[in-house]
Amino acid sequence: MLKLYSNKTAPSPRRARMLLSEKGLEFELIEVDLAGGEQLTPTYLAKVPAGLVPALEVESGEIITENLGIAAYLEAAFPDRPMLGSTALEKGRVAQWNARVEYLGLLSVQDAFRNKVSGLADRALPGPTNYAQIPALAQRGLERINEFMDTLNERLKQSLYVAGDFYSLADITATVVVDFAGWVRVPIPATATALAHWHERMQQRESYTA
Ligand SMILES: N[C@@H](CCC(=O)N[C@@H](CS)C(=O)NCC(=O)O)C(=O)O
């Protein structure tokens, strides 16, 4: 059976859980205590040298990390309910929008959050190496989140879902990023009605609480 090394509250493993839920796949969930530093213990690093969650253990025992790696594996191994697009054009759009949401949105919220909170002093980046917080990056992150919200709102004025007229990995990433922005107190702007309506639809999917 598939095993997912995950964490209840962190945004990145939520993306993997949502993907598994949308694809209707069963898996064993293994909670990793990030606050307690379990991801940096020799035992976890021996299994997952990246020191990150999510990590997917596949049937052969091999570990796949990175949401994109996990999505590529699951899509190839379990092609039903495609999440990366079906046609060449759809696949291109999903990859494009997923990358834009990560670059504009996820990195901005991560910068704003990890360079600010006192509990993450010297842990400004995830992974086994310690990096000091840079307050200017927190400020820049906050500014860029607004650009992300505007870009996504403009896109959703023209498109039912982020990558087109079908639900995909890009919607999963965007849902997680919009909710993660709440951690740095940036809500969906009152004027971003297309984004707000899309977010309401996302909350109605079973995968939202995965
Ligand atoms: N690019 C990775 C990012 C994974 C990541 O940043 N995970 C965070 C949780 S959201 C983590 O493992 N943090 C551990 C730490 O901060 O030490 C992915 O897409 O899976």
Side-chain angles (χ1 to χ4, degrees):
M1 192 193 238
L2 295 168
K3 283 187 198 168
L4 186 74
Y5 293 83
S6 179
N7 175 270
K8 275 195 281 256
T9 48
S12 295
R14 182 179 174 214
R15 292 172 66 189
R17 292 196 306 275
M18 286 176 73
L19 181 69
L20 285 155
S21 164
E22 288 286 347
K23 287 187 85 68
L25 296 170
E26 297 207 342
F27 60 99
E28 184 186 338
L29 188 63
I30 298 156
E31 177 71 9
V32 179
D33 176 13
L34 295 186
E38 187 184 346
Q39 74 281 20
L40 302 175
T41 58
T43 311
Y44 190 77
L45 288 172
K47 192 171 258 296
V48 183
L52 298 172
V53 285
L56 183 74
E57 189 171 324
V58 304
E59 305 286 346
S60 65
E62 188 167 336
I63 296 272
I64 308 277
T65 56
E66 297 296 325
N67 270 289
L68 283 184
I70 291 171
Y73 170 81
L74 291 176
E75 191 86 335
F78 307 97
D80 284 355
R81 307 194 201 176
M83 287 289 132
L84 300 182
S86 299
T87 65
L89 205 49
E90 284 179 7
K91 286 175 197 281
R93 285 199 201 116
V94 173
Q96 171 193 301
W97 277 103
N98 190 70
R100 286 199 80 185
V101 170
E102 284 192 356
Y103 172 71
L104 262 184
L106 186 57
L107 289 185
S108 307
V109 186
Q110 178 176 291
D111 277 348
F113 179 69
R114 294 196 69 121
N115 286 289
K116 173 110 194 209
V117 296
S118 53
L120 289 174
D122 290 325
R123 294 290 305 150
L125 287 171
T129 310
N130 286 341
Y131 287 99
Q133 292 176 324
I134 301 174
L137 277 183
Q139 185 52 40
R140 189 190 69 181
L142 280 179
E143 288 161 21
R144 288 185 76 222
I145 297 172
N146 292 318
E147 188 187 341
F148 162 70
M149 296 277 189
D150 288 347
T151 303
L152 199 53
N153 187 53
E154 287 306 312
R155 171 62 179 164
L156 290 164
K157 280 184 190 169
Q158 306 150 10
S159 181
L160 192 56
Y161 295 95
V162 175
D165 59 1
F166 58 98
Y167 182 92
S168 75
L169 181 71
D171 295 283
I172 292 178
T173 308
T175 301
V176 169
V177 173
V178 166
D179 291 348
F180 189 25
W183 292 27
V184 289
R185 298 194 175 82
V186 181
I188 294 174
T191 50
T193 49
L195 175 55
H197 289 145
W198 164 87
H199 190 250
E200 276 162 25
R201 293 194 345 261
M202 296 302 103
Q203 289 179 71
Q204 284 154 22
R205 299 181 78 92
E206 206 178 308
S207 62
Y208 188 79
T209 52

